[in-house]
Amino acid sequence: MPAPEEPVWKRWLDRLLMLNVLLVFAGAGFFGVAVVAQTQGQPRPMDWFQQLWQPLFTPAISLLIMAALISGILSWWQRKGPMADRDSES
């Protein structure tokens, strides 16, 4: 039996979340480079990172955490559902 076709909105949401993870990883790498540059006496990369922190990286990290929590709660709910049905049948 073939797997059911997933909705178009879910594919786009998955792509958006993957881009978000990529942005968070790129931000972490940029932060690492900025810290190394700061220790070498070049403050400009850290200044750029600090300017991008509030408008770009904070929402991206928040979206990543929220998506992980919702995914975990939905997985827990789906696993718990059939177990509750089995308990009520006995």
Side-chain angles (χ1 to χ4, degrees):
M1 175 183 260
E5 185 74 22
E6 69 179 13
V8 174
W9 65 267
K10 185 175 183 317
R11 273 186 272 149
W12 281 103
L13 182 62
D14 288 344
R15 290 175 184 160
L16 174 71
L17 292 174
M18 288 303 297
L19 285 173
N20 185 54
V21 168
L22 181 64
L23 177 64
V24 171
F25 284 154
F30 181 47
F31 178 69
V33 169
V35 167
V36 170
Q38 181 91 18
T39 61
Q40 300 298 318
Q42 296 190 8
R44 182 131 352 226
M46 185 60 79
D47 292 340
W48 289 339
F49 182 81
Q50 288 175 346
Q51 289 176 351
L52 292 174
W53 177 253
Q54 281 294 332
L56 184 64
F57 296 123
T58 300
I61 293 168
S62 299
L63 180 63
L64 179 67
I65 292 170
M66 183 179 62
L69 286 173
I70 290 172
S71 175
I73 289 169
L74 288 175
S75 295
W76 172 78
W77 188 270
Q78 287 174 348
R79 281 184 311 209
K80 185 173 169 58
M83 295 176 89
D85 291 342
R86 280 188 252 144
D87 290 342
S88 64
E89 290 176 5
S90 337

